[in-house]
Amino acid sequence: GEYYWGVEGEGRLIMMDQNRRVWSERMFPGSLHYIPGGVAHRVANIGYSVLSFAACWPSDAGHDYQVILENGFSASLQCVNGNPQLNMKYIIAVDLGGTITKVGLLRNGELVDYVKMPSRQDLDMTASLPEIENAIDFLLNSNGVKRLFGVGIAFPGLVNNKKSIIISTNEKYDDGVELDLDRWADEHWGAPFYIDNDARLAAIGEWQYGSGRGYDSVVMMTIGTGIGSGVIMNGEVMYGKHFQAGSLGGHFVVDYKGRLCSCGNKGCVEALSSSFFLHKIIKDHACLSPSFKMSSQNYDFKEIFQLAEQGNRDALLVRNECIEIWGAAVINFIHAYDPEVVILGGGIMNSHKVIVPYIEERVSKFAWTPSAKVSVVVSSLGDYAALYGLEYCLRKKIKDEVFC
């Protein structure tokens, strides 16, 4: 036998048994239907509406029931010229990065197409939305997508993912706390909306599709304009009481007398080792040459690592001290969250052959892990991890809303 669930729209499930007796049942969101073995059947939508449904088979029929259930809906029917046709489930995911904003079109765990554009942190979020809308519409038109399954945003701040609202920002898109993004997605595309912290979503993406797959306890650290983190503990994404647990790794204090951070604290990992603070790191460094300091505004981590590779003394000092701080942060994560694996992500991981062995050596030497060694690995999804995390979370959100 089979089980069918109605997900979206209205239709009829038409059945015929071996005695050619025909009957039908109305399908609608949340409806559940059992089809006995040996009964022929088909699904038809009503008029020109979209009808989505999920089909699951008991495991004794040779199908993995849990896999089908966890991987979302099987198909969607849309009437085109009077004929029902399959409509693939497309999701739009937006990652508001500190330097680059990425807008991706995903389908069933696959990144189909994407657009990259410079992040405009000189603008507030309201002023940035039209450019994001244009990018989304471009992807939909370019790929012939008529209907979206959902829209999601990976946001660099604290987010209540249950209510789809931004709780707090840190000098990035500060007006976001005032926006009704749920309504924004509904008005523009008639699609469900999801939002969460960007680093947490990157961790979820890696856990489901990347370097964290197969692990129950994962920590991810993203290194870029800022420093972010996300935690999965015992198979559950960590949120805490106020939706900030696991996502403030960049604000772990590693030097309480250190530089003032944008969050208001002193000596945060982010203030001592992120791209946003790189010019201050160079200018404030007591052991760097005056000529190197004069060019502090011109350097990014890519150039620092390139100069260090060439043997530049100043660049080596900056590079090695930043890696030391990243290593200290990883050790703190291990002590705080007891993961099986720590995943390192961000554009800086193009230099992973230098960074990972250095941090592995620090972890081996200083992390207190008597029960098992914690692996330190590189993100396999790279800059797109948060997009995959959004795809997973949107599918899960919609499935839970329909079936709960």
Side-chain angles (χ1 to χ4, degrees):
E2 301 175 41
Y3 291 94
Y4 272 34
W5 283 274
V7 176
E8 178 185 18
E10 290 191 28
R12 304 294 299 185
L13 173 61
I14 305 166
M15 293 171 278
M16 182 175 70
D17 64 15
Q18 294 174 340
N19 296 319
R20 304 188 68 82
R21 184 172 66 92
V22 177
W23 71 101
S24 70
E25 297 177 2
R26 174 173 167 261
M27 293 188 76
F28 55 91
S31 63
L32 176 62
H33 311 268
Y34 175 68
I35 305 168
V39 171
H41 57 279
R42 63 169 294 180
V43 176
N45 60 337
I46 296 175
Y48 288 85
S49 65
V50 174
L51 171 65
S52 301
F53 60 94
C56 292
W57 294 262
S59 57
D60 61 2
H63 294 77
D64 190 334
Y65 178 93
Q66 192 62 32
V67 169
I68 295 171
L69 191 60
E70 289 297 324
N71 280 280
F73 313 128
S74 60
S76 177
L77 288 172
Q78 184 167 15
C79 200
V80 179
N81 295 326
N83 298 312
Q85 296 189 0
L86 284 177
N87 179 28
M88 302 299 287
K89 294 294 187 180
Y90 288 95
I91 280 171
I92 283 288
V94 181
D95 183 3
L96 292 174
T99 305
I100 299 292
T101 291
K102 296 171 284 290
V103 183
L105 177 68
L106 296 98
R107 179 187 61 212
N108 300 331
E110 174 191 2
L111 182 60
V112 176
D113 200 358
Y114 62 89
V115 171
K116 288 184 177 182
M117 51 194 180
S119 295
R120 295 291 306 276
Q121 292 192 36
D122 57 318
L123 301 176
D124 58 23
M125 192 163 180
T126 304
S128 300
L129 287 178
E131 192 172 2
I132 293 170
E133 292 161 13
N134 290 337
I136 293 173
D137 290 339
F138 171 79
L139 287 173
L140 299 181
N141 293 331
S142 299
N143 292 275
V145 178
K146 304 299 182 184
R147 188 176 181 86
L148 276 177
F149 189 50
V151 176
I153 291 179
F155 187 81
L158 298 182
V159 173
N160 181 331
N161 69 312
K162 301 297 184 185
K163 294 183 178 180
S164 296
I165 58 173
I166 297 165
I167 300 171
S168 181
T169 62
N170 185 20
E171 298 185 3
K172 300 169 187 173
Y173 307 111
D174 291 335
D175 66 323
V177 296
E178 303 167 1
L179 300 181
D180 186 346
L181 294 169
D182 220 333
R183 182 177 179 181
W184 169 75
D186 183 59
E187 288 181 348
H188 282 82
W189 302 283
F193 179 73
Y194 187 86
I195 187 169
D196 206 342
N197 173 264
D198 53 357
R200 180 183 285 127
L201 284 165
I204 293 170
E206 290 291 339
W207 173 47
Q208 288 297 314
Y209 302 112
S211 297
R213 198 167 187 178
Y215 293 100
D216 287 328
S217 294
V218 176
V219 169
M220 183 165 184
M221 177 181 179
T222 57
I223 306 169
T225 306
I227 306 288
S229 62
V231 178
I232 289 88
M233 184 179 289
N234 299 325
E236 298 288 337
V237 181
M238 181 176 284
Y239 285 96
K241 178 68 174 179
H242 305 104
F243 301 94
Q244 62 192 59
S247 65
L248 293 177
H251 301 282
F252 277 26
V253 174
V254 290
D255 179 4
Y256 75 95
K257 293 182 179 180
R259 180 177 299 105
L260 182 67
C261 183
S262 57
C263 74
N265 207 344
K266 287 186 177 181
C268 297
V269 174
E270 184 168 305
L272 302 180
S273 64
S274 70
S275 294
F276 184 80
F277 283 94
L278 185 56
H279 71 285
K280 290 185 179 180
I281 293 168
I282 294 171
K283 284 186 68 176
D284 296 346
H285 203 297
C287 299
L288 299 182
S289 67
S291 60
F292 195 82
K293 289 185 177 185
M294 286 286 290
S295 302
S296 63
Q297 293 282 1
N298 301 325
Y299 292 125
D300 57 19
F301 271 121
K302 181 179 180 180
E303 190 166 3
I304 292 293
F305 273 76
Q306 288 174 344
L307 290 171
E309 187 71 21
Q310 296 165 14
N312 182 289
R313 173 189 169 276
D314 294 316
L316 275 167
L317 278 172
V318 174
R319 183 197 75 178
N320 292 350
E321 288 188 12
C322 285
I323 299 177
E324 288 273 5
I325 293 163
W326 299 335
V330 168
I331 291 168
N332 281 335
F333 297 155
I334 291 170
H335 290 167
Y337 304 121
D338 190 22
E340 300 164 273
V341 62
V342 176
I343 303 170
L344 303 179
I348 193 66
M349 283 302 115
N350 291 327
S351 300
H352 64 89
K353 291 181 180 178
V354 175
I355 297 170
V356 172
Y358 204 116
I359 292 180
E360 282 181 325
E361 187 271 332
R362 305 300 288 176
V363 168
S364 177
K365 188 173 182 179
F366 296 116
W368 191 3
T369 55
S371 300
K373 179 182 177 182
V374 179
S375 300
V376 179
V377 301
V378 180
S379 160
S380 63
L381 301 178
D383 292 339
Y384 308 104
L387 302 184
Y388 283 93
L390 277 167
E391 198 267 351
Y392 170 80
C393 289
L394 264 166
R395 285 196 297 109
K396 186 175 186 301
K397 172 185 177 179
I398 295 169
K399 186 192 76 173
D400 289 348
E401 286 178 352
V402 171
F403 297 131
C404 290

